[in-house]
Amino acid sequence: MKPTLLLLAAGMGSRYGGLKQLDGLGPNGETIMDYSIYDAIKAGFGKIVFVIRKDFEQDFREKVLSKYEGHIPAEVCFQSLEDLPEGFSVPEGRQKPWGTNHAVLMAKDIIKEPFCVINCDDFYNRDAFMVVGKFLADLPEGSANKYAMVGFRIGNTLSDNGTVARGVCSKDAEGNLATIVERTEIMRVDGTVCYKDEQGEWQPVGGDNTPVSMNMWGFTPDYFEHSEEYFKEFLSDPKNIENLKAEFFIPLMMDKLIKEGTATCKVLDTTSKWFGVTYSADRPGTVARIQQLIDEGVYPEKLF
């Protein structure tokens, strides 16, 4: 069974501003996710599913979904603050979405096959889709609790225009994910990749090839069941109700499953160089790099 690509498109870029998922960066108005979908098709994915907000469904269908007709089957589902398990309600004053793993949960009734999760505003590059696509396609039928994360080399994921947030990872002897620590401020300092610690001091990360999470995961459908159960625990914790910005992140779920011994998560190495639009100043460089890939023959001038 061909794997499915699940694209998280419900967020708005707080640092970039506006609906950057719909920002045309290619020569014919192609968005970053157009390139992701083109790469996914090349890597053998058979279907795409978008998680979006209901309030921009029409815009999304007209500007985005229509262009994939005849290329790959596409579906949408919706992330809503009110979409909670039975017995739970939105805390008074809460406006922030519930986070990436809540977004993943929205696809539980649509996806019945191995799937890859990505952000819509990150340019992952083709090798990343190839390695996760192969991992998912090679899973024996009925596989459960054997997941994967594409581990980008940190030196390939930096912005020239400021710090970036990355999940810095460590692996066990089998190459499975052991720990993932969110570092909110990472940049190159005097030639060395560093993160800012709690005291505001810059600390070396451990080399350019240290694996980091770019929110590119490979799962089987049993992941939805784990997520449903843990989301109830998350919502039952008074700290997460009192903190109106607490989020149910994918790494939070994975950390729990790994620590319990419920699941393993293979860290897949990739040579891909990430780029994106974390800051509006990143945009011209991203446009130029896409054009360079077109000039090199990696992508056609017009994708779809």
Side-chain angles (χ1 to χ4, degrees):
M1 191 178 284
K2 287 186 171 185
T4 287
L5 183 65
L6 178 60
L7 300 102
L8 307 185
M12 286 187 66
S14 56
R15 280 183 287 191
Y16 183 61
L19 284 176
K20 61 181 172 178
Q21 292 92 342
L22 300 182
D23 190 8
L25 299 169
N28 294 284
E30 289 89 352
T31 63
I32 281 181
M33 60 190 169
D34 289 336
Y35 288 97
S36 291
I37 288 162
Y38 186 87
D39 284 340
I41 293 169
K42 291 284 186 191
F45 284 77
K47 182 174 76 176
I48 53 177
V49 177
F50 292 94
V51 184
I52 66 171
R53 291 200 321 273
K54 186 74 178 166
D55 62 355
F56 68 92
E57 179 186 7
Q58 187 176 349
D59 209 18
F60 196 86
R61 287 188 183 278
E62 288 171 4
K63 291 185 178 175
V64 180
L65 276 199
S66 58
K67 69 178 85 167
Y68 307 129
E69 282 176 20
H71 296 282
I72 189 169
E75 297 187 52
V76 296
C77 55
F78 306 103
Q79 184 179 20
S80 155
L81 200 58
E82 291 75 31
D83 206 319
L84 299 173
E86 197 173 336
F88 293 93
S89 58
V90 179
E92 190 177 345
R94 172 104 194 184
Q95 293 181 322
K96 192 171 182 63
W98 291 107
T100 50
N101 213 54
H102 179 254
V104 169
L105 260 177
M106 300 303 99
K108 67 182 185 293
D109 296 327
I110 297 176
I111 298 176
K112 308 297 180 190
E113 59 283 322
F115 64 103
C116 169
V117 178
I118 65 166
N119 296 333
C120 278
D121 48 9
D122 288 313
F123 196 108
Y124 291 102
N125 257 308
R126 190 165 306 155
D127 184 69
F129 288 96
M130 290 293 185
V131 296
V132 73
K134 183 177 188 314
F135 173 87
L136 294 171
D138 288 351
L139 287 172
E141 195 172 339
S143 282
N145 299 323
K146 286 186 169 52
Y147 310 139
M149 184 204 84
V150 179
F152 284 74
R153 301 169 188 179
I154 195 167
N156 287 341
T157 73
L158 305 177
S159 167
D160 294 331
N161 298 297
T163 61
V164 293
R166 300 284 178 258
V168 179
C169 304
S170 67
K171 299 184 280 188
D172 65 17
E174 283 78 50
N176 292 318
L177 184 63
T179 61
I180 178 165
V181 180
E182 190 70 21
R183 300 293 184 192
T184 55
E185 292 184 83
I186 296 175
M187 67 186 298
R188 212 176 276 283
V189 179
D190 298 327
T192 302
V193 182
C194 297
Y195 70 90
K196 191 177 276 189
D197 67 14
E198 287 75 10
Q199 284 72 47
E201 302 291 325
W202 289 105
Q203 304 292 345
V205 167
D208 275 30
N209 290 335
T210 300
V212 293
S213 167
M214 295 300 304
N215 218 32
M216 190 177 204
W217 303 86
F219 296 124
T220 43
D222 52 283
Y223 184 76
F224 292 123
E225 295 162 39
H226 295 310
S227 297
E228 280 191 298
E229 287 309 306
Y230 190 37
F231 191 38
K232 291 173 190 171
E233 285 185 42
F234 177 90
L235 293 169
S236 300
D237 186 335
K239 289 200 309 286
N240 295 329
I241 297 305
E242 290 159 15
N243 178 2
L244 298 179
K245 294 190 172 178
E247 291 184 69
F248 184 43
F249 290 121
I250 295 170
L252 187 71
M253 182 76 248
M254 287 306 307
D255 188 57
K256 175 182 166 67
L257 294 174
I258 290 165
K259 282 180 176 165
E260 288 177 348
T262 302
T264 58
C265 182
K266 186 67 73 180
V267 179
L268 307 174
D269 182 46
T270 179
T271 56
S272 283
K273 289 188 167 133
W274 167 93
F275 52 95
V277 279
T278 306
Y279 302 95
S280 54
D282 290 332
R283 193 183 188 281
T286 297
V287 170
R289 287 162 90 174
I290 289 172
Q291 188 58 53
Q292 185 183 346
L293 290 168
I294 293 167
D295 294 343
E296 291 168 0
V298 177
Y299 297 106
E301 185 82 15
K302 188 165 174 50
L303 286 185
F304 296 108

